[in-house]
Amino acid sequence: MSDITELLLDAAADLLAARGFHGLRMIEVASRAGVSRQTVYNEFGNKEGLVQAVAVHKTEEYLSGVMTRLQDDPDPWEAMRSAFRFTFEQTEKDRLVSAVLTGQNAEDLLPFITIRGHPILFHATEVVEQHLSRHFPGRHVRFTAETTVRLALSHLIMPSGDLDGAMDAVVKVARATMDT
Amino acid sequence: MSDITELLLDAAADLLAARGFHGLRMIEVASRAGVSRQTVYNEFGNKEGLVQAVAVHKTEEYLSGVMTRLQDDPDPWEAMRSAFRFTFEQTEKDRLVSAVLTGQNAEDLLPFITIRGHPILFHATEVVEQHLSRHFPGRHVRFTAETTVRLALSHLIMPSGDLDGAMDAVVKVARATMDT
DNA sequence: GTCTTTACAAAAGCAATAAACGTGTAAAGG
DNA sequence: CCTTTACACGTTTATTGCTTTTGTAAAGAC
């Protein structure tokens, strides 16, 4: 990815979070990145392409953060806890991440938040599945992966107020469903 | 509840599903129920009151259906399956029920779908909790109840396409978390 | 070659106006 | 208890022109 491309994506992400899709101006994205309006069009085709690219970029950023945390802790459940803590923090910090993951509050932020019909968070299921496979080789882990992702998503959309409790709940269910 | 009140609630529910909150006309509700516009105001105060009443009514209707199904089957897990099947069917059939339960697609349907900040579906947690307590007296069932409701809701919001699979998943998790 | 400048048509948004409609309240009557 | 009638108020809707923005293209600069 070129240098300018990254500058444009960052600028677009900022402006998108601040003004929404509707209020996003191509010329403003360009000037923030220090390039001309046409460069933006050369790079992304049109406004939809730009916003789609922002969504993809944010998703990759988030998923790479999750993978890092899953790999950093030797204990599989602590790693999971860490990854979910990261997820909660990200959604609290970044409206765009929140929109990409949950599809909530996406009214004027991302008209194109889904890939193949599902919110992009469902890509996370595969990441969790690989994580579990690494620690429990040969076991059937897909069900546990999907369940934990769905549960974590549920806590994102409808917080119980207690973050630690939510994480405990997710891990507890993960462990319980591994024994089935 | 008076006869006219019920007629009004039904008329309002129909029109609300068809035209949304914004497009709902008080005079249309009145004429469908065969009464004057003022009768609607006498009964519900204003438009918000009417729509709020519709939401409460739909919720009670739904929850009573759930309770019936939970009580009708002697096997606790089959009863749960039946209740969730009922839930899925209802949300597919009725946009309003769907809005009340999930809060999705509620943009112009129900501005007041939450009670104390939570979508009304979370009342279902208590119903499920009572159901489990009946079959497993003395056991700690709250966690399982909340988890199954969250999971069912997740399948409502993001269907996997396979209804039987979704029900199996919910019940499987319910059983697994009961053994913790 | 890549980016910028300039130019331009088509679409979409904005501001101001007036007309029509819907809400909510009140009072009199059946 | 419900209906009819009336009314003030706020909110849509439609219309009109005006401005902005999008998206494309071609010529020039580093």
Side-chain angles (χ1 to χ4, degrees):
Chain A
M1 172 152 48
S2 105
D3 231 27
I4 284 178
T5 308
E6 202 147 4
L7 274 173
L8 284 172
L9 284 175
D10 285 351
D14 278 2
L15 291 167
L16 202 53
R19 314 208 204 294
F21 177 79
H22 187 72
L24 180 71
R25 293 294 117 91
M26 298 299 265
I27 197 167
E28 208 170 355
V29 175
S31 80
R32 279 235 193 164
V35 301
S36 75
R37 194 167 62 95
Q38 269 50 41
T39 304
V40 185
Y41 280 97
N42 293 340
E43 205 69 25
F44 300 104
N46 54 29
K47 196 168 169 179
E48 289 201 6
L50 171 61
V51 174
Q52 180 75 268
V54 169
V56 169
H57 187 236
K58 280 278 171 192
T59 304
E60 284 170 357
E61 227 174 53
Y62 161 73
L63 281 181
S64 119
V66 166
M67 284 192 276
T68 301
R69 275 150 191 85
L70 285 179
Q71 285 158 11
D72 274 6
D73 202 304
D75 177 67
W77 310 118
E78 270 310 311
M80 236 168 148
R81 215 182 291 268
S82 169
F84 284 130
R85 192 181 301 113
F86 171 71
T87 301
F88 290 128
E89 286 167 0
Q90 287 294 110
T91 55
E92 271 179 20
K93 195 169 60 185
D94 191 332
R95 289 177 66 203
L96 279 189
V97 173
S98 177
V100 165
L101 295 191
T102 68
Q104 309 273 109
N105 309 328
E107 287 196 21
D108 203 28
L109 277 170
L110 297 170
F112 332 98
I113 45 165
T114 63
I115 291 182
R116 297 193 313 263
H118 282 72
I120 303 176
L121 178 67
F122 271 70
H123 286 213
T125 300
E126 290 166 30
V127 175
V128 173
E129 190 179 5
Q130 279 166 26
H131 165 69
L132 290 173
S133 287
R134 228 177 290 128
H135 286 275
F136 306 97
R139 297 280 289 281
H140 186 65
V141 296
R142 172 139 198 96
F143 178 71
T144 297
E146 180 176 337
T147 300
T148 51
V149 169
R150 281 187 182 273
L151 215 49
L153 174 57
S154 167
H155 281 282
L156 278 183
I157 296 175
M158 302 170 184
S160 59
D162 175 16
L163 185 104
D164 285 323
M167 289 192 302
D168 288 346
V170 171
V171 170
K172 197 166 157 187
V173 170
R175 301 183 88 138
T177 58
M178 280 297 291
D179 301 329
T180 53
Chain B
M1 171 152 48
S2 104
D3 230 26
I4 284 180
T5 308
E6 203 148 3
L7 273 173
L8 284 173
L9 284 176
D10 285 352
D14 278 3
L15 291 167
L16 202 53
R19 313 207 206 296
F21 176 79
H22 189 73
L24 181 72
R25 294 293 118 91
M26 298 299 266
I27 196 166
E28 209 170 355
V29 175
S31 79
R32 279 235 193 163
V35 300
S36 75
R37 196 166 61 95
Q38 270 50 43
T39 304
V40 184
Y41 280 97
N42 292 342
E43 204 68 24
F44 301 104
N46 55 25
K47 196 169 169 179
E48 290 203 4
L50 171 61
V51 174
Q52 181 74 269
V54 169
V56 169
H57 186 237
K58 281 277 170 190
T59 304
E60 284 170 357
E61 225 174 54
Y62 161 73
L63 282 181
S64 118
V66 166
M67 282 191 277
T68 301
R69 275 150 191 86
L70 285 179
Q71 286 159 9
D72 274 6
D73 201 305
D75 176 66
W77 310 118
E78 271 310 311
M80 234 168 151
R81 215 181 290 269
S82 168
F84 284 131
R85 190 182 302 112
F86 171 71
T87 302
F88 289 128
E89 286 167 0
Q90 287 294 110
T91 56
E92 271 178 21
K93 197 169 57 187
D94 192 332
R95 288 178 68 205
L96 276 191
V97 173
S98 178
V100 164
L101 294 192
T102 68
Q104 309 274 112
N105 309 327
E107 290 196 17
D108 200 29
L109 276 170
L110 297 170
F112 330 98
I113 45 165
T114 64
I115 291 182
R116 295 191 315 262
H118 283 71
I120 301 173
L121 177 66
F122 271 71
H123 285 213
T125 300
E126 289 166 30
V127 175
V128 173
E129 191 180 3
Q130 279 167 24
H131 166 69
L132 290 172
S133 287
R134 229 175 289 127
H135 286 276
F136 306 97
R139 297 280 287 281
H140 186 66
V141 296
R142 172 139 199 98
F143 178 72
T144 296
E146 179 174 340
T147 300
T148 51
V149 169
R150 281 187 181 273
L151 215 48
L153 175 57
S154 166
H155 282 282
L156 241 50
I157 295 175
M158 302 169 183
S160 58
D162 176 17
L163 184 106
D164 285 323
M167 288 192 302
D168 287 346
V170 171
V171 170
K172 199 167 155 185
V173 170
R175 302 183 87 137
T177 58
M178 278 300 290
D179 301 329
T180 54

